[in-house]
Amino acid sequence: MSMLSATEEYRKYYANTAYSSQMWKQQSPNKSHTFSGMFAMSFSDIRHVIPHGYINDTHEIIHAPMHPDEAHIPFSFDHEKICTVKGTRDLFRIICTLGGYLTLIFGAGVTAVCLLLMLVFRNDNELFEYLIEFTVLFGGGGLLVGGLLVALTKLPMSIGLIIFGSGVRDFEFNRRTGMLTRWKYIPLTGIKRRTISKPFSEFVPYLQSITTGAGTNAGWNMIMMHKDSRRLSFGSFGMVNVISRGDAMAFWDFIQCYMDISQPLPDSPLLEAYRQQDPVTREHDKQSGRPERYWRDMTHDEIQVKALDMQSRIARLAAGEEG
């Protein structure tokens, strides 16, 4: 493909708002974001590192067919967008599950105690009749209500979706458009209230140290906050399992590389099947001679070795040992 034809293909494929590494320099200065335990990170310093969770134990994932029940979930992790989901009625499911089992335990406990008392006071007819009524009302009622609540959570997927709702889009990183989008819903209904979309270049990345109530470190997170509003933010929670400070930094490297159309897609096993569908990545792989099945032809152990190598490199970068 010639440079001219490549440029024409890129213009047709990517939107005019698609992100490149120089765009952040063109933004107006951001408002001062001052938060305890948060450190601003730099743009454009791409090291092509991958978070541990995007390589480790991926052999089974990249070879597994999609389960039919997953077709309704609007989750995306491909060459166009990374879109996370959330449940709209998860609280109702939790109430049914937890409340159901607690009610079952209550009903069973009441029944057991009442049966024991019946044996003790079996000669007291008045008390015996009272215990029977109490057992039926509270013991039997608890078992019935608890059983029904638990049964609701065990219904087939098609019926469960009607009761508990399906997953809905939460927020999205879109490589083709360069936009970050968040969906807002009316609580417990799944009814969309509004959609907020802002250019990726308007978000400022922060490394966040998570502390416990005792002041000890409990992990790390990467947060992107809009330059003009601290209320519009996106975090790594729900997108990757960050296991270290270096992993949080690697996630930022991954995301800015993913969004930057001057760069090929990050070379993660989870994205390999989509590399040929992204024009910039396809041309990069052609020029560099990267095998189309680089990750998929590896064994589980070979991928694990690569994951350990990447983890070591991330640790060196976090320690400032690599320039």
Side-chain angles (χ1 to χ4, degrees):
M1 180 185 297
S2 67
M3 182 59 67
L4 178 60
S5 60
T7 302
E8 290 174 348
E9 182 181 6
Y10 299 166
R11 287 176 178 172
K12 290 179 180 179
Y13 183 80
Y14 302 108
N16 293 333
T17 53
Y19 172 78
S20 65
S21 59
Q22 298 300 312
M23 291 178 67
W24 70 272
K25 297 179 181 179
Q26 303 168 9
Q27 303 297 326
S28 59
N30 60 279
K31 291 183 178 180
S32 177
H33 293 152
T34 54
F35 300 95
S36 176
M38 293 178 63
F39 313 93
M41 293 189 286
S42 62
F43 287 85
S44 303
D45 186 21
I46 297 178
R47 307 299 184 91
H48 297 285
V49 289
I50 310 293
H52 184 256
Y54 288 166
I55 300 180
N56 186 57
D57 282 335
T58 56
H59 184 269
E60 290 75 16
I61 297 174
I62 62 180
H63 288 93
M66 187 181 76
H67 193 279
D69 288 341
E70 296 175 353
H72 70 281
I73 301 176
F75 170 80
S76 298
F77 195 101
D78 55 32
H79 60 292
E80 293 186 354
K81 56 185 175 292
I82 297 175
C83 181
T84 65
V85 300
K86 65 179 180 180
T88 54
R89 302 177 203 161
D90 284 347
L91 180 60
F92 183 39
R93 182 184 292 275
I94 292 172
I95 291 173
C96 287
T97 303
L98 182 61
Y101 282 113
L102 289 177
T103 306
L104 278 174
I105 293 172
F106 172 79
V110 168
T111 301
V113 171
C114 288
L115 289 176
L116 180 61
L117 291 175
M118 286 180 195
L119 291 175
V120 175
F121 299 103
R122 58 182 178 274
N123 295 323
D124 188 332
N125 293 334
E126 185 177 350
L127 180 58
F128 191 84
E129 292 178 1
Y130 173 77
L131 287 173
I132 292 177
E133 293 177 359
F134 192 88
T135 303
V136 172
L137 179 62
F138 292 97
L143 291 171
L144 177 62
V145 173
L148 289 174
L149 289 175
V150 172
L152 283 177
T153 66
K154 306 296 183 181
L155 292 173
M157 178 70 72
S158 57
I159 302 177
L161 290 177
I162 298 174
I163 300 173
F164 301 111
S166 60
V168 293
R169 291 179 294 180
D170 187 13
F171 65 87
E172 174 186 283
F173 293 81
N174 195 302
R175 176 175 168 90
R176 291 187 69 177
T177 65
M179 304 297 285
L180 265 65
T181 302
R182 163 143 278 170
W183 286 266
K184 299 287 188 178
Y185 301 90
I186 298 174
L188 301 179
T189 65
I191 299 174
K192 185 171 68 175
R193 187 177 64 185
R194 60 176 176 150
T195 302
I196 305 171
S197 290
K198 298 287 184 180
F200 177 79
S201 57
E202 292 185 2
F203 287 80
V204 183
Y206 291 93
L207 181 66
Q208 180 189 33
S209 173
I210 304 171
T211 58
T212 65
T216 58
N217 184 273
W220 296 86
N221 186 20
M222 196 288 290
I223 292 180
M224 298 193 66
M225 194 166 300
H226 191 264
K227 67 184 186 67
D228 296 327
S229 173
R230 60 195 295 178
R231 298 181 63 183
L232 183 55
S233 62
F234 303 81
S236 58
F237 287 136
M239 297 188 67
V240 67
N241 180 25
V242 172
I243 62 174
S244 66
R245 175 176 177 270
D247 225 29
M249 296 170 67
F251 178 72
W252 164 236
D253 190 276
F254 176 92
I255 285 296
Q256 64 172 332
C257 182
Y258 177 88
M259 293 296 290
D260 189 350
I261 63 170
S262 69
Q263 301 283 337
L265 288 169
D267 202 347
S268 164
L270 302 178
L271 289 172
E272 182 173 64
Y274 308 104
R275 293 182 68 86
Q276 293 300 305
Q277 299 178 53
D278 180 79
V280 169
T281 308
R282 182 170 62 246
E283 183 64 17
H284 170 272
D285 289 356
K286 178 181 177 182
Q287 296 294 332
S288 64
R290 181 195 183 280
E292 187 173 339
R293 294 180 57 90
Y294 174 76
W295 291 104
R296 285 170 289 174
D297 284 343
M298 289 186 188
T299 65
H300 177 271
D301 290 343
E302 288 172 335
I303 290 179
Q304 293 306 97
V305 169
K306 293 288 186 181
L308 290 174
D309 290 343
M310 181 62 71
Q311 192 173 6
S312 296
R313 187 182 173 211
I314 288 171
R316 292 194 302 271
L317 287 170
E321 296 176 4
E322 283 194 26

Coordinates of all heavy atoms in Angstrom, one line a residue, residues 50 54 58-59 62-63 77-79 254 258 265-278 281-282 285 290-298 303:
I50 N 2.3 -3.5 28.4 CA 0.9 -4.0 28.5 C 0.7 -4.4 29.9 O 1.5 -5.0 30.6 CB 0.8 -5.3 27.6 CG1 1.2 -5.0 26.2 CG2 -0.7 -5.8 27.7 CD1 0.4 -4.1 25.4
Y54 N -3.6 -8.2 30.8 CA -3.9 -8.3 29.4 C -3.0 -9.2 28.7 O -3.1 -9.4 27.5 CB -3.8 -6.9 28.8 CG -4.9 -5.9 29.1 CD1 -4.8 -4.6 28.8 CD2 -6.1 -6.4 29.7 CE1 -5.8 -3.7 29.1 CE2 -7.1 -5.5 30.0 CZ -7.0 -4.2 29.7 OH -8.0 -3.3 30.1
T58 N -4.0 -15.7 29.3 CA -4.9 -15.3 28.2 C -5.0 -16.4 27.1 O -5.8 -16.3 26.2 CB -4.5 -14.0 27.5 OG1 -3.1 -14.2 27.1 CG2 -4.6 -12.8 28.4
H59 N -4.2 -17.5 27.3 CA -4.3 -18.6 26.3 C -5.7 -19.1 26.1 O -6.1 -19.3 25.0 CB -3.3 -19.7 26.7 CG -3.1 -20.7 25.6 ND1 -3.9 -21.9 25.7 CD2 -2.4 -20.9 24.5 CE1 -3.6 -22.6 24.6 NE2 -2.7 -22.1 23.9
I62 N -8.2 -16.4 24.4 CA -8.1 -16.1 23.0 C -8.4 -17.3 22.1 O -8.6 -17.1 20.9 CB -6.7 -15.6 22.7 CG1 -5.6 -16.6 22.9 CG2 -6.4 -14.3 23.4 CD1 -4.2 -16.2 22.6
H63 N -8.6 -18.5 22.7 CA -9.0 -19.7 22.0 C -10.4 -20.1 22.3 O -10.9 -21.1 21.7 CB -8.0 -20.8 22.2 CG -6.7 -20.6 21.6 ND1 -5.6 -20.1 22.3 CD2 -6.2 -20.9 20.4 CE1 -4.6 -20.0 21.5 NE2 -4.9 -20.5 20.4
F77 N -14.2 -5.1 23.3 CA -12.8 -5.0 23.5 C -12.2 -5.4 22.2 O -11.8 -6.5 22.0 CB -12.3 -5.9 24.7 CG -10.9 -5.6 25.2 CD1 -10.8 -4.9 26.4 CD2 -9.8 -6.0 24.5 CE1 -9.5 -4.6 26.8 CE2 -8.5 -5.7 24.9 CZ -8.4 -5.0 26.1
D78 N -12.1 -4.5 21.3 CA -11.7 -4.8 19.9 C -10.9 -3.6 19.3 O -10.5 -2.7 20.0 CB -12.9 -5.2 19.0 CG -14.0 -4.2 19.0 OD1 -13.7 -3.0 19.1 OD2 -15.2 -4.6 18.9
H79 N -10.8 -3.6 18.0 CA -10.0 -2.6 17.3 C -10.7 -1.2 17.2 O -10.1 -0.2 17.0 CB -9.7 -3.0 15.9 CG -11.0 -3.3 15.1 ND1 -11.8 -4.3 15.4 CD2 -11.5 -2.6 14.0 CE1 -12.8 -4.3 14.5 NE2 -12.7 -3.3 13.7
F254 N -1.0 1.8 27.8 CA -1.9 1.0 26.9 C -3.0 1.8 26.4 O -3.3 1.8 25.1 CB -2.4 -0.2 27.7 CG -3.4 -1.1 27.0 CD1 -3.0 -2.2 26.3 CD2 -4.8 -0.8 26.9 CE1 -3.8 -3.0 25.6 CE2 -5.7 -1.6 26.2 CZ -5.2 -2.7 25.5
Y258 N -3.6 2.8 22.6 CA -4.8 2.3 21.9 C -5.6 3.5 21.2 O -6.1 3.3 20.1 CB -5.7 1.7 23.0 CG -7.1 1.2 22.4 CD1 -7.2 -0.1 21.9 CD2 -8.2 2.0 22.4 CE1 -8.4 -0.5 21.4 CE2 -9.4 1.6 21.9 CZ -9.5 0.3 21.4 OH -10.7 -0.1 20.8
L265 N -2.3 -0.7 17.2 CA -3.0 -1.2 18.5 C -1.9 -1.8 19.4 O -0.9 -2.4 18.9 CB -4.0 -2.3 18.1 CG -5.3 -1.8 17.4 CD1 -6.1 -3.0 17.0 CD2 -6.1 -1.0 18.4
P266 N -2.1 -1.7 20.7 CA -1.2 -2.4 21.6 C -1.1 -3.9 21.3 O -2.1 -4.5 21.0 CB -1.8 -2.1 23.0 CG -2.6 -0.9 22.8 CD -3.2 -0.9 21.4
D267 N 0.1 -4.4 21.4 CA 0.3 -5.8 21.1 C -0.1 -6.7 22.2 O 0.8 -7.4 22.9 CB 1.7 -6.1 20.6 CG 1.8 -7.3 19.7 OD1 0.9 -8.1 19.7 OD2 2.9 -7.5 19.1
S268 N -1.4 -6.8 22.5 CA -1.9 -7.7 23.6 C -2.6 -8.9 22.9 O -3.2 -8.8 21.9 CB -2.9 -6.9 24.4 OG -3.7 -7.8 25.2
P269 N -2.5 -10.1 23.5 CA -3.2 -11.2 23.0 C -4.7 -11.0 22.8 O -5.3 -11.5 21.9 CB -3.0 -12.3 24.1 CG -1.7 -11.9 24.8 CD -1.7 -10.4 24.7
L270 N -5.3 -10.2 23.7 CA -6.7 -9.9 23.6 C -7.1 -9.1 22.4 O -8.3 -9.1 22.0 CB -7.2 -9.2 24.9 CG -6.9 -9.9 26.2 CD1 -7.3 -9.1 27.4 CD2 -7.5 -11.3 26.3
L271 N -6.2 -8.4 21.8 CA -6.5 -7.6 20.6 C -6.0 -8.2 19.3 O -6.2 -7.7 18.2 CB -5.9 -6.2 20.8 CG -6.6 -5.3 21.8 CD1 -5.8 -4.0 22.0 CD2 -8.0 -5.0 21.4
E272 N -5.3 -9.3 19.4 CA -4.6 -9.8 18.2 C -5.6 -10.2 17.0 O -5.3 -9.9 15.9 CB -3.8 -11.1 18.5 CG -3.0 -11.6 17.3 CD -2.1 -12.7 17.7 OE1 -2.6 -13.8 18.1 OE2 -0.9 -12.6 17.5
A273 N -6.7 -10.7 17.4 CA -7.7 -11.1 16.3 C -8.2 -9.9 15.5 O -8.8 -10.1 14.5 CB -8.8 -11.9 17.0
Y274 N -8.0 -8.7 16.1 CA -8.6 -7.5 15.4 C -7.6 -6.7 14.7 O -7.9 -5.7 14.1 CB -9.3 -6.7 16.5 CG -10.3 -7.4 17.3 CD1 -10.0 -7.8 18.6 CD2 -11.6 -7.8 16.8 CE1 -10.9 -8.5 19.4 CE2 -12.5 -8.5 17.6 CZ -12.1 -8.9 18.9 OH -13.0 -9.6 19.6
R275 N -6.3 -7.0 14.8 CA -5.2 -6.2 14.3 C -5.4 -5.9 12.8 O -5.1 -4.8 12.3 CB -3.9 -6.8 14.6 CG -3.5 -6.8 16.1 CD -2.1 -7.4 16.3 NE -1.1 -6.5 15.8 CZ -0.6 -5.5 16.5 NH1 -1.0 -5.2 17.8 NH2 0.4 -4.7 16.0
Q276 N -5.8 -6.9 12.0 CA -5.9 -6.7 10.6 C -7.1 -5.8 10.2 O -7.2 -5.4 9.0 CB -6.0 -8.1 9.9 CG -4.8 -8.9 10.0 CD -3.6 -8.2 9.3 OE1 -3.6 -7.8 8.2 NE2 -2.5 -8.1 10.1
Q277 N -8.0 -5.5 11.1 CA -9.2 -4.7 10.8 C -8.9 -3.2 11.1 O -9.8 -2.4 10.7 CB -10.4 -5.2 11.7 CG -10.7 -6.7 11.4 CD -11.9 -7.1 12.2 OE1 -12.9 -6.5 12.3 NE2 -11.7 -8.3 12.9
D278 N -7.8 -2.9 11.7 CA -7.4 -1.5 11.9 C -6.4 -1.1 10.9 O -5.3 -1.7 10.8 CB -6.9 -1.4 13.3 CG -6.5 0.1 13.6 OD1 -7.4 0.9 13.9 OD2 -5.3 0.4 13.6
T281 N -2.7 -0.4 12.1 CA -2.1 -1.6 12.7 C -1.8 -2.6 11.6 O -0.7 -3.2 11.6 CB -3.0 -2.2 13.7 OG1 -3.4 -1.3 14.7 CG2 -2.3 -3.4 14.4
R282 N -2.7 -2.7 10.6 CA -2.5 -3.6 9.5 C -1.2 -3.2 8.7 O -0.4 -4.1 8.4 CB -3.7 -3.7 8.6 CG -3.5 -4.6 7.4 CD -4.9 -4.8 6.7 NE -5.3 -3.5 6.1 CZ -6.5 -2.9 6.5 NH1 -7.2 -3.4 7.5 NH2 -6.9 -1.8 5.9
D285 N 2.0 -3.9 10.8 CA 2.3 -5.3 10.9 C 2.9 -5.8 9.6 O 3.8 -6.7 9.5 CB 1.1 -6.2 11.2 CG 0.7 -6.0 12.7 OD1 1.4 -5.3 13.4 OD2 -0.4 -6.6 13.1
R290 N 5.3 -8.6 11.3 CA 4.7 -9.3 12.5 C 3.8 -10.4 12.1 O 2.9 -10.2 11.3 CB 3.9 -8.3 13.4 CG 3.3 -9.0 14.6 CD 2.3 -8.1 15.3 NE 1.8 -8.6 16.5 CZ 0.8 -9.5 16.6 NH1 0.3 -10.0 15.4 NH2 0.4 -10.0 17.7
P291 N 4.0 -11.7 12.6 CA 3.1 -12.8 12.2 C 1.6 -12.5 12.7 O 1.4 -11.9 13.7 CB 3.6 -14.0 13.0 CG 5.1 -13.6 13.3 CD 5.1 -12.1 13.5
E292 N 0.7 -12.8 11.8 CA -0.7 -12.6 12.1 C -1.2 -13.3 13.4 O -2.1 -12.8 14.1 CB -1.6 -12.9 10.9 CG -3.0 -12.5 11.1 CD -3.8 -12.7 9.8 OE1 -3.2 -12.8 8.7 OE2 -5.1 -12.8 9.9
R293 N -0.6 -14.5 13.6 CA -1.0 -15.3 14.8 C 0.2 -15.4 15.8 O 0.4 -16.5 16.3 CB -1.4 -16.7 14.3 CG -2.7 -16.7 13.5 CD -3.0 -18.2 13.1 NE -3.1 -19.0 14.2 CZ -4.3 -19.2 14.9 NH1 -5.4 -18.6 14.5 NH2 -4.3 -20.0 15.9
Y294 N 0.8 -14.3 16.0 CA 1.9 -14.2 16.9 C 1.6 -14.8 18.3 O 2.3 -15.7 18.8 CB 2.4 -12.8 17.1 CG 3.5 -12.6 18.1 CD1 4.8 -12.9 17.8 CD2 3.2 -12.0 19.4 CE1 5.8 -12.8 18.8 CE2 4.2 -11.8 20.3 CZ 5.5 -12.2 20.0 OH 6.5 -12.0 20.9
W295 N 0.5 -14.4 18.9 CA 0.1 -14.8 20.2 C -0.7 -16.1 20.2 O -0.5 -17.0 21.0 CB -0.8 -13.8 20.9 CG -0.1 -12.5 21.3 CD1 -0.1 -11.3 20.7 CD2 0.8 -12.4 22.4 NE1 0.7 -10.4 21.4 CE2 1.3 -11.0 22.4 CE3 1.3 -13.2 23.4 CZ2 2.2 -10.5 23.4 CZ3 2.2 -12.7 24.4 CH2 2.6 -11.4 24.3
R296 N -1.5 -16.3 19.2 CA -2.4 -17.5 19.1 C -1.7 -18.8 18.8 O -2.2 -19.8 19.1 CB -3.5 -17.2 18.1 CG -4.6 -16.3 18.6 CD -5.6 -15.9 17.5 NE -4.9 -15.0 16.6 CZ -5.5 -14.5 15.4 NH1 -6.7 -15.0 15.1 NH2 -4.9 -13.7 14.6
D297 N -0.5 -18.6 18.3 CA 0.3 -19.8 18.0 C 1.2 -20.2 19.2 O 1.9 -21.2 19.1 CB 1.1 -19.7 16.7 CG 0.3 -19.8 15.5 OD1 -0.8 -20.3 15.5 OD2 0.8 -19.3 14.4
M298 N 1.2 -19.4 20.2 CA 2.0 -19.7 21.4 C 1.3 -20.7 22.3 O 0.0 -20.7 22.3 CB 2.3 -18.4 22.2 CG 3.2 -17.5 21.6 SD 3.6 -16.1 22.8 CE 4.5 -15.0 21.7
I303 N 3.2 -18.0 26.6 CA 2.5 -16.7 26.9 C 2.8 -16.3 28.4 O 3.1 -15.1 28.6 CB 1.0 -16.8 26.7 CG1 0.6 -17.0 25.3 CG2 0.3 -15.6 27.4 CD1 -0.8 -17.1 25.0

